[in-house]
Amino acid sequence: MSSSLEPEPPDAQAGAGPHRRTVLSTRRLESYTDGVFAIAATLLVLNVSVDGIGVARSDTDFVHQIGDLAPSVLNMVVSFLLLSLLWVIHVRQFEFIPRVDSTIVWLNNFRLLWVVLVPFTTSLNDEFGRFLLGRTLLPLNFLLILLFSTWQWFHASSPRRRLVQGASDAAIHNARVNSVSALGEAFGVVLLATLVGSPAFLLFVLDPLISLLLRRAGVLRPTPDGAVA
């Protein structure tokens, strides 16, 4: 759906430049994104239910029954921390993106589609983690979030579009490498989860080391014309 109220950038309004596109402020996009992340993170606590706690006749019984909730609490904590990390990545990226085009808006919308599914896939992981599909849907969910997040950053940081401002070429390059690193780790988590379940998320602990190795290896090396090799 298009709107005649969508503003155009100064160069498009003046007819300058071959790439005419609609460019919008990030104000509403950031507010919407923050709200979706906040709601998804809050809904995670619904996966921890006291319905399974029976009649406790002593403190020992109560402690044992609370202990039975540990897997649910662990799944909730893991999903919350990963969602928080993804939100931090979003905040850092948009510190350097003052305006967005319609492609970024829709890439962000598709990313949020998978964000709102995290409470559901966390619940499936908790209840059906003994099944192959049950323990892989949550890692796959995070893989799809990272896929659209990486796609969004590569689109925004393209030298042709010039949507990223105030960041050095080195910082943009490092952010690209970090995005690819996280995406590769998420794929690895999906594969490991088929074997070990939720502990596969520990692979993300290696992210700083893997990103450093990729940068030193010259992955996505910038070229003189601003593209990447």
Side-chain angles (χ1 to χ4, degrees):
M1 292 171 56
S2 61
S3 171
S4 60
L5 297 179
E6 293 178 331
E8 291 186 304
D11 60 337
Q13 293 172 354
H19 304 292
R20 296 171 60 91
R21 68 184 189 277
T22 299
V23 180
L24 306 168
S25 168
T26 63
R27 184 178 63 256
R28 291 182 180 274
L29 181 145
E30 291 185 84
S31 298
Y32 179 51
T33 302
D34 289 346
V36 171
F37 267 99
I39 292 172
T42 302
L43 290 177
L44 286 172
V45 75
L46 298 180
N47 295 315
V48 183
S49 173
V50 298
D51 292 341
I53 298 180
V55 177
R57 302 185 181 280
S58 67
D59 286 338
T60 302
D61 288 344
F62 184 64
V63 169
H64 287 163
Q65 294 185 45
I66 290 294
D68 291 338
L69 294 176
S72 297
V73 174
L74 178 60
N75 281 331
M76 185 270 291
V77 170
V78 168
S79 292
F80 180 84
L81 291 177
L82 288 174
L83 274 180
S84 298
L85 178 61
L86 290 168
W87 177 77
V88 169
I89 292 173
H90 161 77
V91 170
R92 288 179 175 173
Q93 289 180 351
F94 274 79
E95 283 295 310
F96 303 101
I97 304 177
R99 299 184 71 81
V100 295
D101 59 15
S102 56
T103 300
I104 288 185
V105 171
W106 282 105
L107 287 174
N108 190 66
N109 286 340
F110 282 115
R111 178 179 62 161
L112 295 181
L113 169 64
W114 299 108
V115 168
V116 298
L117 286 175
V118 167
F120 174 64
T121 52
T122 300
S123 179
L124 290 178
N125 183 271
D126 184 32
E127 295 292 332
F128 303 102
R130 63 189 181 277
F131 301 124
L132 178 63
L133 188 60
R135 60 178 177 266
T136 54
L137 284 177
L138 180 60
L140 183 60
N141 196 165
F142 279 107
L143 172 63
L144 290 168
I145 295 172
L146 282 165
L147 173 63
F148 281 98
S149 180
T150 300
W151 188 353
Q152 179 177 270
W153 178 246
F154 269 71
H155 178 86
S157 61
S158 168
R160 183 170 62 88
R161 296 182 180 90
R162 295 178 296 177
L163 293 172
V164 174
Q165 299 178 12
S168 66
D169 290 341
I172 293 173
H173 168 65
N174 288 340
R176 285 186 162 209
V177 173
N178 292 343
S179 295
V180 171
S181 172
L183 188 60
E185 291 156 21
F187 182 74
V189 169
V190 172
L191 297 180
L192 285 176
T194 63
L195 302 174
V196 300
S198 294
F201 284 108
L202 290 174
L203 182 61
F204 283 116
V205 175
L206 300 177
D207 178 68
L209 176 60
I210 295 174
S211 296
L212 177 62
L213 292 176
L214 289 176
R215 288 196 295 270
R216 289 186 174 179
V219 174
L220 301 177
R221 183 177 62 257
T223 59
D225 61 357
V228 291

